[in-house]
Amino acid sequence: MKRIPDEKCASVCGLFCGACPSFPEECHGCLSDYVREGCRECKNGFRKCASNHTVARCCERIEFPCQKLEKFSKYPVINGICNHANVISDLKRMKDIGILSWLKEQVDEFTCPECGELISWFDRNSHVCSKQK
Ligand code: SF4
Ligand code: SF4
């Protein structure tokens, strides 16, 4: 069954997990109970920091955006695409319009209008629509 991205896909650090290549087969989103190993450890410490300060996401902290998040937004660059590039502006947007409205915007942005499939960050310029295969 097709999995619809929910609030758990509005990640602690500002990513839209619905556009992650691991969603939904290997991961159901940063705030879910089924998180892919690499992100479960969250080596940048965003999950731990949020939990220590009893907030759900970085944008709820007074220090937002911290230096760690600034640095995170600049890497990695894979095939010319940095999927972290918008984390700060996206967290600001979540704060401004609310998580559900932000999620709707993201789902609209990353859904192929033809086949209705979610397109990964890395496939936005190379998506092959299943209707046109
Ligand atoms: S692997 Fe990380 S970025 Fe991808 S869906 Fe899971 S928590 Fe989100
Ligand atoms: S890097 Fe950390 S906070 Fe960001 S999506 Fe992955 S687990 Fe969540």
Side-chain angles (χ1 to χ4, degrees), residues 11-15 17 30-31 35 38-47 72 84:
S11 88
V12 174
C13 66
L15 292 172
C17 291
C30 174
L31 293 168
V35 180
C39 260
R40 206 182 312 140
E41 292 159 9
C42 191
K43 62 178 189 296
N44 287 289
F46 300 127
R47 278 156 60 103
F72 180 74
H84 299 170

Side-chain angles (χ1 to χ4, degrees), residues 65-115:
C66 69
Q67 280 188 356
K68 199 177 268 190
L69 199 60
E70 299 265 15
K71 198 171 158 202
F72 180 74
S73 71
K74 297 185 173 54
Y75 73 90
V77 178
I78 300 168
N79 293 334
I81 296 168
C82 175
N83 65 312
H84 299 170
N86 297 329
V87 288
I88 293 174
S89 57
D90 273 321
L91 282 161
K92 284 182 181 159
R93 184 86 181 141
M94 286 183 206
K95 207 172 168 185
D96 286 348
I97 66 170
I99 301 300
L100 291 179
S101 299
W102 179 82
L103 264 176
K104 189 178 176 315
E105 281 186 352
Q106 294 292 305
V107 169
D108 287 349
E109 187 176 337
F110 284 95
T111 298
C112 171
E114 295 297 326
C115 65

Side-chain angles (χ1 to χ4, degrees), residues 11 15-18 20-23 27-30 34-36 39 121:
S11 88
L15 292 172
F16 171 54
C17 291
C20 173
S22 299
F23 180 86
C27 186
H28 292 172
C30 174
Y34 183 60
V35 180
R36 191 183 156 196
C39 260
W121 301 302

